[in-house]
Amino acid sequence: MKKPIIAGNWKMHNTISESISLSKEISESLKEVEDALIILIPPFTSLYEVEKIILNRNIKLGAQDVFCYEWGPFTGEISPLMIKDAGCEFSIVGHSERRTILKEDDDLVNKKIISCIRNNLIPIVCIGETLEEREKGLLYEKIECQIEDSLKNLTGEDIQKIIIAYEPIWAIGTGVNATPEQAEEMHLFIRKNLEKRYGNETSSCAIIIYGGSVKEDNIYPLIIQKDVDGVLVGGASLKSNSFCEIVRKAIEAQREKEGKTW
């Protein structure tokens, strides 16, 4: 069975001690789970301690951001070498909160993606439209521009080394999620766009996950969509019970999806 990706982005939550407690609860609850790719993404300050807890377990570690250079006079930034040294295999890149609040543009996102690939980190590349762009019918144009600019100079082989996360900005942290049909529509649009640029073989292998107010009650209908390969979970990943339930329901949905004939 293809494993659905369930990544929990803790954002700016949890001290080191709180991160230790949460990761222990999650790893213990999910210790028998093998049919999902589970990624915990704590704050930078907690990476080392969380890594010690999940080491040799069925859970991977990711960072919430990474800088585009390996070293240098960049006060406050964290290089991909540091991320890897802390035990990470993944890093979020271009999250909408960094794009909107910290004004990161597609050019910087592109440099970060290339740096991740160069250093054998798997970037989770976030793209998505605002509510205003959706209401004005500009969502497709926005997503296409983000794909073109964020993924420029990447080869088809590179595309198979990244994860694309479609996160409609209007659904992040609002409690309002895209419907499963809306998510599938946009995932298919992204996949078709990749096919146009890189060919069918690459697009069919591309990993595209959904993020935006993912919870226990909407994970099943999201995962069962043909082109949804997993989810990036925000607030619901901060509680062990809700996150673990999301993982279990995602596995159930994946099993049903693979039994479907499309």
Side-chain angles (χ1 to χ4, degrees), residues 44-45 47 63-83 91-94 98 102-104 108-109 111-112 115:
F44 287 127
T45 50
L47 286 174
Q64 296 181 17
D65 187 41
V66 63
F67 199 51
C68 54
Y69 297 112
E70 284 79 359
W71 53 77
F74 305 107
T75 302
E77 295 298 338
I78 309 292
S79 84
L81 299 179
M82 296 171 183
I83 295 298
S91 179
I92 296 175
V93 174
R98 297 196 64 84
L102 300 175
K103 309 305 178 186
E104 290 193 4
L108 179 57
V109 170
K111 290 176 181 177
K112 289 183 176 185
S115 179

Side-chain angles (χ1 to χ4, degrees), residues 109-119 152-154:
V109 170
N110 175 251
K111 290 176 181 177
K112 289 183 176 185
I113 294 169
I114 291 172
S115 179
C116 283
I117 294 172
R118 185 169 63 240
N119 289 283
K152 65 184 177 184
N153 300 321
L154 268 62

Side-chain angles (χ1 to χ4, degrees), residues 10-25 40 42-53 61 64 238:
W10 296 357
K11 304 190 179 184
M12 198 175 72
H13 296 283
N14 293 337
T15 61
I16 293 173
S17 61
E18 290 169 338
S19 296
I20 290 172
S21 295
L22 180 57
S23 56
K24 281 182 176 179
E25 290 174 7
L40 297 185
F44 287 127
T45 50
S46 298
L47 286 174
Y48 180 69
E49 293 298 331
V50 172
E51 195 271 342
K52 288 193 293 185
I53 293 166
L61 187 67
Q64 296 181 17
L238 297 173

Side-chain angles (χ1 to χ4, degrees), residues 5-232:
I5 296 172
I6 314 297
N9 177 16
W10 296 357
K11 304 190 179 184
M12 198 175 72
H13 296 283
N14 293 337
T15 61
I16 293 173
S17 61
E18 290 169 338
S19 296
I20 290 172
S21 295
L22 180 57
S23 56
K24 281 182 176 179
E25 290 174 7
I26 292 172
S27 61
E28 181 63 24
S29 180
L30 298 177
K31 63 182 178 181
E32 305 296 334
V33 173
E34 297 180 351
D35 291 335
L37 174 53
I38 306 163
I39 309 168
L40 297 185
I41 310 176
F44 287 127
T45 50
S46 298
L47 286 174
Y48 180 69
E49 293 298 331
V50 172
E51 195 271 342
K52 288 193 293 185
I53 293 166
I54 65 176
L55 183 65
N56 298 322
R57 296 262 188 158
N58 56 339
I59 299 174
K60 305 297 184 181
L61 187 67
Q64 296 181 17
D65 187 41
V66 63
F67 199 51
C68 54
Y69 297 112
E70 284 79 359
W71 53 77
F74 305 107
T75 302
E77 295 298 338
I78 309 292
S79 84
L81 299 179
M82 296 171 183
I83 295 298
K84 287 196 68 178
D85 193 44
C88 293
E89 297 179 45
F90 301 83
S91 179
I92 296 175
V93 174
H95 193 281
S96 64
E97 291 159 358
R98 297 196 64 84
R99 289 177 182 266
T100 56
I101 299 170
L102 300 175
K103 309 305 178 186
E104 290 193 4
D105 60 16
D106 289 326
D107 183 62
L108 179 57
V109 170
N110 175 251
K111 290 176 181 177
K112 289 183 176 185
I113 294 169
I114 291 172
S115 179
C116 283
I117 294 172
R118 185 169 63 240
N119 289 283
N120 296 313
L121 273 173
I122 299 173
I124 301 173
V125 184
C126 298
I127 58 176
E129 80 282 0
T130 66
L131 180 59
E132 181 181 10
E133 288 165 338
R134 173 170 278 270
E135 289 177 341
K136 290 183 176 180
L138 301 174
L139 66 163
Y140 303 109
E141 180 181 339
K142 172 67 174 289
I143 297 302
E144 187 164 12
C145 285
Q146 284 187 320
I147 292 173
E148 180 176 358
D149 294 339
S150 296
L151 305 184
K152 65 184 177 184
N153 300 321
L154 268 62
T155 65
E157 184 178 349
D158 291 333
I159 296 299
Q160 297 184 46
K161 298 176 181 177
I162 74 175
I163 296 170
I164 296 175
Y166 168 64
E167 289 200 305
I169 297 172
W170 48 273
I172 299 173
T174 63
V176 178
N177 61 293
T179 66
E181 294 75 19
Q182 287 173 322
E184 170 62 18
E185 177 189 15
M186 294 311 296
H187 280 233
L188 179 58
F189 176 77
I190 293 167
R191 202 174 296 281
K192 290 293 186 181
N193 195 283
L194 293 175
E195 181 180 2
K196 180 174 64 175
R197 297 171 189 276
Y198 300 101
N200 179 67
E201 183 177 350
T202 295
S203 67
S204 61
C205 294
I207 299 173
I208 309 171
I209 65 177
Y210 171 80
S213 296
V214 176
K215 300 181 180 68
E216 305 100 300
D217 60 0
N218 62 32
I219 180 64
Y220 198 101
L222 282 168
I223 291 294
I224 207 169
Q225 301 300 315
K226 182 178 181 180
D227 290 285
V228 178
D229 299 314
V231 288
L232 181 57

